[in-house]
Amino acid sequence: MNIIEIIEKKKNKQALSEAEIAFFVDGICTGSIADYQASALLMAICLNGMTAAETAILTDKMAHSGDTLDLTALSPTADKHSTGGVGDKTSLIVAPIAAACGVNIAKMSGRGLGHTGGTIDKLESIPGFRTTISENDFLEQVKNIGIAIVAQSKNLVPADKILYALRDVTGTVESIPLIASSIMSKKLAAGADVIELDVKVGSGAFMKTPQEARELAAAMVDIGKKNGRKTAALITDMDEPLGTHIGNTLEIKEVIATLNGGGAEDLRTLCLGLAANIIALAENIEKESARRLAEEALRSGKALEKFKQMVAAQGGNVRYIENPALFEEAAFAHPIAASQSGYIQKTDAQRIGETAALLGAGRQKMEDSIDFAAGIILEKKCGEYVAAGDTIATLYTNQKESLAPAAERFLSALTIGKTSPQKPPLIQGEVL
Ligand code: URA
């Protein structure tokens, strides 16, 4: 078999065989296929697509390119994955809610890149919190307290690490078969019985239209089910950031507020929806009953208790969760005032994510370091009325020189107008 023939076949819009896909995945892992050849095939896939059968094979070969986790002894287990967004801290609320309802959460998460945040960075902003623990300790923790969230182990789906790095620099991220296989290979290798997906749609998401988001959700749910996992997806808005806090420590503070019964309404609604789906699938019960259990876990403080148990088990200082005022604040806070009166018609999620990255909350390259205290608090959300001079948001950073470009980027994200906007619904659909 020959990689040039495989590239040409996809260039000519033909479907690849199982043997050809296996040859490709094996070749990138062993290094027998050069980066430029892999990149050429990725671009051909990006332009000409893959059939559902090809996508399923690619996912399977990637999932088995490294270690896989066996969680059968801990059943029912659940995992959750968002396709990436701004202010999306749902995992840190959904996982403790589900765990408080008896569903074991053994979750591996990623770091933020570009304008999107990552769960692992957020957790590491809690002093002492360890995101790298041995597989044994990880499984033992789930057995003991029902919840652990850790960084992906080095050898979990090594094929995705190689392909994702190439896609990131070759303009081939936005492809439904490539995103579906990247996400689902990691979910399959991580071993949970239930996989709940949150497919984001809008300006801050990879999928810009509801139709694309539905296609991606359907592709991933199909792969999960074909592999014997109970899989479902919500399609949710990412035209504006989720909740009010963006940036690592700030998002942890919003998580704590939500687990204490407060927090922004959109964030709470989405977390309850995702948690209810997980509980319903894991426990084989009606969605309505699952929702009541989720609401009760939040209301009673049991979800907050689970979160604290996880923080303690992974070495984090629980005093910060009990008293968020202990978190170190950024040296500089810069309010952004409304230049005119009117309704906030748009707070473009991607540009707001870029603003947070400029302030130091995100990274452009994986090796960049981040400023945990940096970020944004939105005082007003899309649809609200503001009078000229009202504070719309406050920018936080430890790098004073970043304030001017960040403020400029933030203002470019904002549209204020005379009429109340038609906001897209938060939950736009479901794929079961
Ligand atoms: N998240 C992933 O893990 N992979 C993608 O391709 C896109 C988002």
Side-chain angles (χ1 to χ4, degrees):
M1 210 169 289
N2 174 335
I3 184 64
I4 301 171
E5 283 168 16
I6 296 175
I7 296 167
E8 287 187 343
K9 204 168 164 188
K10 190 43 80 183
K11 184 182 79 179
N12 295 326
K13 301 191 169 75
Q14 290 169 32
L16 303 180
S17 68
E18 177 163 1
E20 286 164 335
I21 294 171
F23 178 83
F24 169 61
V25 173
D26 193 52
I28 54 165
C29 291
T30 59
S32 67
I33 293 176
D35 284 356
Y36 50 84
Q37 293 170 316
S39 303
L41 184 57
L42 289 171
M43 183 56 83
I45 293 171
C46 203
L47 295 174
N48 295 332
M50 274 186 144
T51 63
E54 283 176 287
T55 309
I57 295 167
L58 177 60
T59 309
D60 179 62
K61 301 299 172 202
M62 287 171 69
H64 291 97
S65 64
D67 298 342
T68 55
L69 238 64
D70 182 0
L71 300 181
T72 39
L74 297 168
S75 199
T77 49
D79 200 345
K80 164 205 167 268
H81 191 91
S82 153
T83 55
V86 179
D88 182 358
K89 67 280 288 172
T90 52
S91 289
L92 296 173
I93 301 164
V94 172
I97 294 177
C101 296
V103 183
N104 282 327
I105 305 286
K107 180 161 172 49
M108 292 195 185
S109 290
R111 293 180 189 279
L113 188 62
H115 74 279
T116 63
T119 301
I120 291 303
D121 297 324
K122 293 169 201 180
L123 282 172
E124 286 178 356
S125 73
I126 302 170
F129 195 98
R130 286 190 306 269
T131 55
T132 308
I133 58 181
S134 73
E135 187 179 314
N136 242 355
D137 289 351
F138 174 61
L139 297 177
E140 200 56 28
Q141 183 178 320
V142 179
K143 191 169 143 203
N144 292 336
I145 62 167
I147 182 169
I149 304 181
V150 298
Q152 261 154 39
S153 70
K154 279 210 171 60
N155 206 30
L156 188 98
V157 194
D160 182 62
K161 293 193 175 67
I162 298 165
L163 289 180
Y164 200 88
L166 290 176
R167 288 168 59 210
D168 201 33
V169 293
T170 56
T172 53
V173 171
E174 279 126 350
S175 149
I176 287 173
L178 294 179
I179 296 177
S181 55
S182 162
I183 291 175
M184 291 308 289
S185 58
K186 288 176 285 203
K187 298 293 108 182
L188 295 180
D193 310 320
V194 169
I195 302 171
E196 175 69 18
L197 302 161
D198 180 4
V199 178
K200 300 289 185 195
V201 58
S203 72
F206 287 127
M207 299 292 111
K208 305 292 181 204
T209 68
Q211 195 194 330
E212 286 172 330
R214 183 164 285 280
E215 239 181 90
L216 175 62
M220 293 197 290
V221 169
D222 188 51
I223 292 169
K225 284 184 175 168
K226 281 193 176 126
N227 282 278
R229 311 299 171 88
K230 295 179 187 173
T231 313
L234 288 183
I235 296 166
T236 71
D237 178 60
M238 191 34 72
D239 246 4
E240 69 168 328
L242 187 64
T244 51
H245 290 42
I246 300 132
N248 299 288
T249 298
L250 295 176
E251 291 193 40
I252 291 290
K253 286 185 174 177
E254 193 175 17
V255 165
I256 298 166
T258 308
L259 289 171
N260 273 302
E265 194 188 322
D266 58 349
L267 177 63
R268 195 171 50 250
T269 303
L270 180 53
C271 289
L272 285 170
L274 292 164
N277 280 3
I278 290 175
I279 297 162
L281 287 172
E283 307 286 3
N284 285 320
I285 58 174
E286 291 299 319
K287 191 91 78 61
E288 270 319 300
S289 321
R291 196 182 166 89
R292 277 195 295 277
L293 290 175
E295 282 170 354
E296 178 55 19
L298 201 53
R299 197 203 53 74
S300 63
K302 285 188 180 144
L304 175 64
E305 199 45 45
K306 269 291 156 215
F307 185 70
K308 287 189 344 197
Q309 282 177 8
M310 176 179 76
V311 170
Q314 291 182 233
N317 189 337
V318 179
R319 281 178 44 239
Y320 284 71
I321 312 304
E322 289 163 349
N323 179 12
L326 291 176
F327 280 102
E328 205 170 299
E329 289 195 2
F332 304 99
H334 178 80
I336 303 269
S339 55
Q340 63 181 96
S341 300
Y343 291 94
I344 300 188
Q345 293 183 326
K346 192 161 178 60
T347 43
D348 183 282
Q350 171 144 2
R351 288 191 186 179
I352 290 186
E354 288 164 2
T355 306
L358 283 173
L359 290 164
R363 51 169 86 74
Q364 294 309 322
K365 295 194 289 323
M366 268 305 170
E367 55 279 13
D368 291 349
S369 62
I370 51 180
D371 175 0
F372 287 134
I376 304 164
I377 295 183
L378 299 172
E379 310 290 348
K380 304 279 180 195
K381 296 265 291 176
C382 187
E384 285 187 61
Y385 186 83
V386 287
D390 280 357
T391 299
I392 296 179
T394 307
L395 311 184
Y396 294 91
T397 187
N398 284 311
Q399 308 156 15
K400 194 171 184 202
E401 66 286 0
S402 72
L403 281 175
E408 195 184 333
R409 186 70 57 96
F410 185 88
L411 288 170
S412 77
L414 198 68
T415 313
I416 299 177
K418 291 284 163 235
T419 52
S420 170
Q422 198 75 29
K423 280 205 334 174
L426 174 65
I427 298 178
Q428 303 188 6
E430 186 165 16
V431 176
L432 295 169

